[in-house]
Amino acid sequence: MTLSARNACWNAGGEAIVRDVSLDVRSGEFLGIIGPNGSGKTSLMMMLSGIRKPKAGEIFMGDRPIRSLDRRALSKSVALVEQQAETGERITARQAVELGRTPYLGAFTPWSSADDAIVDAALANVDMTHLAGRLWHTLSGGERQRLHIGRALAQQPEILLLDEPTNHLDIAHQIGLLDLVRRQRLTVVAALHDLNHAAMFCDRIAVMKGGRLVALGTPREVLTAECIRDVFGVEVEVEHGGGGDCFIRYRATTMGRGSSWMTDETPKAIRAGVS
Ligand SMILES: Nc1ncnc2c1ncn2[C@@H]1O[C@H](COP(=O)(O)OP(=O)(O)O)[C@@H](O)[C@H]1O
Ligand SMILES: [Mg+2]
């Protein structure tokens, strides 16, 4: 099933946040969304998930506008792991994953052993079986993030939307989590910050800047020094490997935004990018 945005727009507080974005998510691909903070990645993902309705334009699942699908039907096709997904409830790791079965339950379809089996498989998939009985608030950031993915897998979606899934994880857990997601063989759309992770894991990358989709293609097509300079205001060298892979080496940092690290030698594009 293809998920697509057609001229999708979102406004908030009188500002255009997502401007006229059109893209197709291909069945089975891992599509990354990159772009600076505030470029509209989360807003776009909220529209793709059906949580936010576009102010103009349309999101389609196959050839059907997703606003014509009811919430429950949509939840069986699309699962979203939000950027700041948290729970204040006193629940166990297993109960957090069980929440993924919600769209399948109803008055005539109570919880069954089939649901237990799906939750068991999801816990095993994210390597959390041994912690299933632990209370949520006693788990580390990485363990919680794995459970969020487990909950989304228990939802048995065709399309998994992940908003900055590696935030707050150490490097081993970042790589482990992206690898785990890729091994699911689902259609995945993930907003990512690390350009090298995007290069490693994505089939294609969408680049957002100021609410617009400014590039869409394979990592090799999109992750050019020119594009990264234009979008992020950072100087890089891009090294290409044999199998179409690429590696980004950062030449400068914008850590000291607007401060003393910039000299007259600082490339104009960087100065423009951080001003
Ligand atoms: N509900 C809202 N009301 C006002 N401004 C919003 C709202 N949602 C997002 N924004 C603004 O829209 C911009 C894009 O936000 P977001 O989609 O979260 O970008 P990203 O995920 O790329 O950081 C930000 O400047 C943010 O403050
Ligand atoms: Mg965001």
Side-chain angles (χ1 to χ4, degrees), residues 153-222:
L153 295 177
Q155 215 172 310
Q156 295 192 307
E158 291 171 56
I159 300 167
L160 187 56
L161 302 174
L162 304 169
D163 197 355
E164 298 189 22
T166 57
N167 263 6
H168 310 303
L169 302 187
D170 64 49
I171 187 65
H173 282 100
Q174 290 182 32
I175 303 277
L177 188 121
L178 291 171
D179 191 48
L180 179 152
V181 168
R182 188 169 58 176
R183 279 189 278 115
Q184 304 305 316
R185 303 195 177 284
L186 290 169
T187 305
V188 177
V189 183
L192 298 173
H193 264 308
D194 188 307
L195 303 183
N196 282 309
H197 290 173
M200 274 173 76
F201 290 98
C202 297
D203 298 305
R204 292 192 305 155
I205 298 174
V207 187
M208 298 288 293
K209 180 187 177 189
R212 291 188 196 284
L213 177 68
V214 294
L216 177 63
T218 63
R220 206 173 174 129
E221 286 165 349
V222 163

Side-chain angles (χ1 to χ4, degrees), residues 11 64 113 127-128 130 156 259-260 274:
N11 307 318
R64 294 187 64 184
S113 56
D127 195 20
M128 286 295 289
H130 60 300
Q156 295 192 307
S259 65
S260 56
V274 299

Side-chain angles (χ1 to χ4, degrees), residues 34-99:
I34 62 169
N37 294 335
S39 57
K41 302 181 296 295
T42 295
S43 303
L44 175 60
M45 296 197 78
M46 298 290 249
M47 287 195 285
L48 289 172
S49 71
I51 288 179
R52 282 188 192 165
K53 310 243 173 314
K55 295 284 158 90
E58 196 83 72
I59 309 294
F60 290 93
M61 172 75 79
D63 53 8
R64 294 187 64 184
I66 61 172
R67 64 185 159 73
S68 71
L69 301 170
D70 71 54
R71 196 63 260 147
R72 188 180 277 257
L74 192 57
S75 302
K76 292 175 184 172
S77 298
V78 181
L80 170 69
V81 175
E82 292 189 57
Q83 199 168 350
Q84 270 118 19
E86 264 312 327
T87 173
E89 304 286 316
R90 196 177 164 78
I91 57 171
T92 63
R94 185 181 179 88
Q95 286 168 331
V97 174
E98 286 174 356
L99 292 173

